[in-house]
């Protein structure tokens, strides 16, 4: 019971880091896609179909998500275990349990957010004509 406030603080910090990571992912994805508007327009001008564009954006998003998940699983797990070892050396009686459910939820949210970003990007691209997108970069 004495350690409850510390655990609550760690959960709040973890939630903040997850939220910050998701916002960063959205920002990076959207900025990348907006900067590539001319490139995407050119690809569509030479025959890229809407289905191919959607698949390309989803694949790129999944690669971002895979990189983020790999980083989280390696660095995050190592950091969590490192903190556990430090607290154990300080004399706290703790038991380390690998956070399977939170990690699965985090990866599911990442995938969901990335798929939404891809879908919204395709919708946004459809609002502008092909000529507008190609001229936008000039």
């Amino acid at each position: 019971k004495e350690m409850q406030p510390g655990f609550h603080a760690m959960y709040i910090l973890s939630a903040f880091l997850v939220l910050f990571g998701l916002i960063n992912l959205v920002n990076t994805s959207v900025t990348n896609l907006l900067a590539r508007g001319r490139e995407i327009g050119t690809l569509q001008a030479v025959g890229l179909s809407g289905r191919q564009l959607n698949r390309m954006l989803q694949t790129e998003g999944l690669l971002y998500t895979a990189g983020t998940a790999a980083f989280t699983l390696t660095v995050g797990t190592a950091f969590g275990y490192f903190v556990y070892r430090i607290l154990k050396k300080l004399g706290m009686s703790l038991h380390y349990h690998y956070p399977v459910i939170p990690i699965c939820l985090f990866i599911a949210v990442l995938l969901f957010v990335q798929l939404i970003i891809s879908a919204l990007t395709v919708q946004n691209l459809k609002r502008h004509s092909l000529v507008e997108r190609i001229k936008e970069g000039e």
Side-chain angles (χ1 to χ4, degrees), residues 63-77 98 106-107 110:
L63 288 173
Y64 282 135
T65 302
T68 302
F71 183 80
T72 299
L73 292 174
T74 56
V75 175
T77 300
Y98 190 75
F106 177 69
I107 292 172
L110 278 178

Side-chain angles (χ1 to χ4, degrees), residues 4-20:
Q4 286 293 337
F7 285 129
H8 288 298
M10 292 299 268
Y11 284 126
I12 290 171
L13 177 63
S14 295
F16 176 75
L17 290 174
V18 166
L19 183 62
F20 182 75

Side-chain angles (χ1 to χ4, degrees), residues 61-131:
L62 291 176
L63 288 173
Y64 282 135
T65 302
T68 302
F71 183 80
T72 299
L73 292 174
T74 56
V75 175
T77 300
F79 180 74
Y81 189 73
F82 177 71
V83 169
Y84 161 75
R85 297 293 297 172
I86 289 173
L87 293 176
K88 188 96 169 156
K89 283 183 181 179
L90 292 174
M92 295 185 186
S93 61
L94 299 173
H95 300 287
Y96 183 78
H97 299 285
Y98 190 75
V100 174
I101 293 174
I103 287 175
C104 290
L105 287 173
F106 177 69
I107 292 172
V109 168
L110 278 178
L111 287 170
F112 180 71
V113 167
Q114 196 60 56
L115 291 175
I116 288 175
I117 291 170
S118 297
L120 292 176
T121 301
V122 170
Q123 285 180 352
N124 186 36
L125 289 173
K126 287 179 182 177
R127 282 190 235 152
H128 302 288
S129 72
L130 187 57
V131 175

